[in-house]
Amino acid sequence: MEDRHASLSSFFLLALFSFILSYSCSTAYSNTALVAPIAYDPSTSLYSVSPLGGPPFDRPLLLNLDSSNLWRDCMHPLLRSPPLEPVLYHSAICKSAKVQSALISGDPGYIFGCSGAPTPVCSNFSCSVYASASLRTSPSAVLWTDTISLLSVNGSVPGKLIRVPKFAFACSDDILLNSDAAVPANAVGAAGLSRALLALPKQLAAKLRMKRRFAYCLPLSVVAGRGALFFGQTPYIFPPGGDFSNRFQYTPLLNNPQEPDSYFIGVESIFVNKVKLPINASLLQLRKDPNIIFNNKMGIVGGTSISSTLRYTRLESSIYDALAREFSSSAAAIGIQAVGAVGAFETCFNKSTVTVGKGGFRIPVIAFSLQGSNGPMWEIKNHNTVEFVEKFICLAFQRADQFQPRSIVLGTFQQQDCLLQFDLDGSRFGVVPNLSSSWSGCSNFKFGSTT
Ligand SMILES: *[C@@H]1O[C@H](CO)[C@@H](O)[C@H](O)[C@H]1NC(C)=O
Ligand SMILES: *[C@@H]1O[C@H](CO)[C@@H](O)[C@H](O)[C@H]1NC(C)=O
Ligand SMILES: *[C@@H]1O[C@H](CO)[C@@H](O)[C@H](O)[C@H]1NC(C)=O
Ligand SMILES: *[C@@H]1O[C@H](CO)[C@@H](O)[C@H](O)[C@H]1NC(C)=O
Ligand SMILES: *[C@@H]1O[C@H](CO)[C@@H](O)[C@H](O)[C@H]1NC(C)=O
């Protein structure tokens, strides 16, 4: 009786203690923002993020909305020895490594039969997962846990490094790093930002009891400097424009049951100088296609997804034609001379016939009207609209090939100097399309002397 009483009261003490512990944890980090710089690599047109923590994440990683985990090349001779704890196949963490994205779909695998001593990419009884880079995926990565650290920020003042113990990430060999344009120069892996449980947004939020939310702002060029990736709490301060966190226009994040880890939004119509393009509305919706079978079910096609690795927005063929036609006729109306295709672009113009006005080049304005109660508009102006190719400027959109199931994939060229927020708790996507009209830019975030 005595013993039972003692163990009961110690149980309550323990429960109370863990309640206090979890409560203090949640108050400690629920107000925290974590931040990491983003850099543009012109040789691959990809963006990398530097977590700013200590090893094993002290080197740049590909910024990848489609990647289902954080992975790195653990065989790289310059990098530290392998982290210590492999995730076992029968553990809960391994079960949560299931993924379903545009690139891959599947359960984690079981590794048994490594010959010799364990290596970062082979360890008996461990959990084998996918590592995704831009356009490519390797199925041979192994899940481990280690402490990672990220820089915290208080408003615009950089704070201390926050340590995240037992963070699950994948170790891969160097197959992906050695394949063409799979990751930015100098990158050693990828920072996965998908909706998968082990990708950074959900895993960080679970570990630190933060909001399941992140935002990024892609810099305009190498010269402009570094952009920023934020997790958790706002504000998002870009001087001199100040805090942009209350200037978002929101649209719901849509669920595609075939790719629940990817980010889809609803584009309702597209305008050029306020003229609505004649687009077949059903192309803009996610819809079942009886001619496509995916995992033994009818495939889901159409709709709009957001990419952090595709450079120029790709449009289904008839949508591209409608945009190019209206853009060209609006351009012709203000004396801009069309020259046809140049290089990788179908729709180009003679640069010396374009005049410069107050906000940059005087060219037609493209706007995407998004699903939502207040009719949010994503205006795509100037530097997000045209690319320079020699003496020409070209409409910086491309025609999708027949294998692209999405009608619109929003590329990074159109996202530059825009602040994008992915709010997983609120199931919504926010955009501030015009940092530059407040004389701000994605490179204006101050990382302070820590970097
Ligand atoms: C893995 O298991 C195989 C087969 O039993 C064995 O030969 C090998 O030595 C083991 N490797 C390690 C690293 O434990
Ligand atoms: C953040 O900054 C504000 C204003 O400077 C200050 O009052 C607050 O204590 C700081 N919070 C933390 C966690 O450092
Ligand atoms: C619109 O697109 C859908 C899906 O591709 C197609 O089935 C339909 O025939 C199209 N409608 C028109 C009027 O072209
Ligand atoms: C571009 O426009 C300029 C000025 O109107 C003209 O001199 C030049 O010949 C044009 N170039 C082409 C390739 O049409
Ligand atoms: C920025 O864009 C939003 C939405 O398109 C608009 O409401 C706002 O007035 C714009 N701000 C500036 C400074 O242009």
Side-chain angles (χ1 to χ4, degrees), residues 247 249 376-379 381 431-438:
R247 298 185 216 176
Q249 304 199 74
M377 279 281 188
W378 184 343
E379 280 199 343
K381 292 182 184 169
V431 56
V432 183
N434 48 10
L435 259 61
S436 57
S437 54
S438 309

Side-chain angles (χ1 to χ4, degrees), residues 158-423:
K160 55 181 193 222
L161 283 178
I162 305 278
R163 288 163 53 82
V164 190
K166 292 195 182 292
F167 191 89
F169 69 96
C171 269
S172 150
D173 55 25
D174 58 5
I175 289 179
L176 289 173
L177 301 185
N178 290 339
S179 57
D180 278 352
V183 300
N186 303 322
V188 297
L193 297 173
S194 80
R195 292 205 250 191
L197 286 174
L198 294 189
L200 281 155
K202 284 189 180 168
Q203 198 181 166
L204 280 177
K207 290 258 163 28
L208 299 176
R209 290 163 205 268
M210 295 191 313
K211 288 197 159 60
R212 302 205 291 185
R213 174 167 83 182
F214 68 99
Y216 69 67
C217 201
L218 301 179
L220 206 48
S221 62
V222 183
V223 181
R226 295 176 303 175
L229 168 67
F230 302 90
F231 294 100
Q233 200 47 271
T234 56
Y236 308 131
I237 296 177
F238 294 87
D243 177 16
F244 283 84
S245 61
N246 51 13
R247 298 185 216 176
F248 283 107
Q249 304 199 74
Y250 286 105
T251 188
L253 275 173
L254 304 182
N255 205 31
N256 176 353
Q258 186 175 293
E259 294 172 33
D261 295 346
S262 304
Y263 296 101
F264 290 87
I265 57 170
V267 169
E268 292 194 323
S269 39
I270 303 177
F271 296 83
V272 174
N273 281 353
K274 304 206 160 72
V275 175
K276 186 175 170 182
L277 302 182
I279 296 173
N280 178 344
S282 76
L283 294 176
L284 296 176
Q285 279 149 18
L286 286 167
R287 61 181 200 283
K288 289 194 169 137
D289 184 336
N291 300 319
I292 294 175
I293 302 297
F294 185 86
N295 280 352
N296 299 322
K297 291 196 195 103
M298 212 186 284
I300 296 173
V301 299
T304 300
S305 68
I306 305 167
S307 173
S308 65
T309 52
L310 176 72
R311 187 62 177 154
Y312 304 102
T313 295
R314 286 214 184 117
L315 304 171
E316 183 276 339
S317 202
S318 68
I319 301 178
Y320 180 86
D321 285 334
L323 176 69
R325 203 177 304 125
E326 188 59 40
F327 190 88
S328 300
S329 81
S330 296
I334 51 172
I336 299 175
Q337 182 193 20
V339 298
V342 177
F345 299 100
E346 288 182 39
T347 309
C348 299
F349 306 90
N350 180 342
K351 194 167 75 187
S352 47
T353 63
V354 181
T355 58
V356 178
K358 196 161 60 112
F361 283 119
R362 284 187 62 229
I363 50 174
V365 174
I366 299 170
F368 283 39
S369 125
L370 307 178
Q371 199 173 317
S373 50
N374 58 346
M377 279 281 188
W378 184 343
E379 280 199 343
I380 296 171
K381 292 182 184 169
N382 252 293
H383 58 256
N384 296 120
T385 310
V386 288
E387 179 69 293
F388 296 89
V389 187
E390 300 149 31
K391 292 176 186 144
F392 310 100
I393 60 167
C394 298
L395 182 62
F397 288 77
Q398 289 176 333
R399 187 188 299 275
D401 63 28
Q402 69 205 76
F403 303 110
Q404 177 180 305
R406 311 275 74 90
S407 295
I408 302 176
V409 182
L410 282 164
T412 57
F413 191 84
Q414 277 68 40
Q415 300 169 27
Q416 294 175 111
D417 262 350
C418 300
L419 179 60
L420 308 185
Q421 189 192 57
F422 300 78
D423 179 355

Side-chain angles (χ1 to χ4, degrees), residues 84-100:
L84 287 176
E85 286 185 67
V87 171
L88 296 180
Y89 179 73
H90 294 289
S91 66
I93 300 179
C94 186
K95 288 195 178 67
S96 65
K98 183 182 175 67
V99 289
Q100 251 178 303

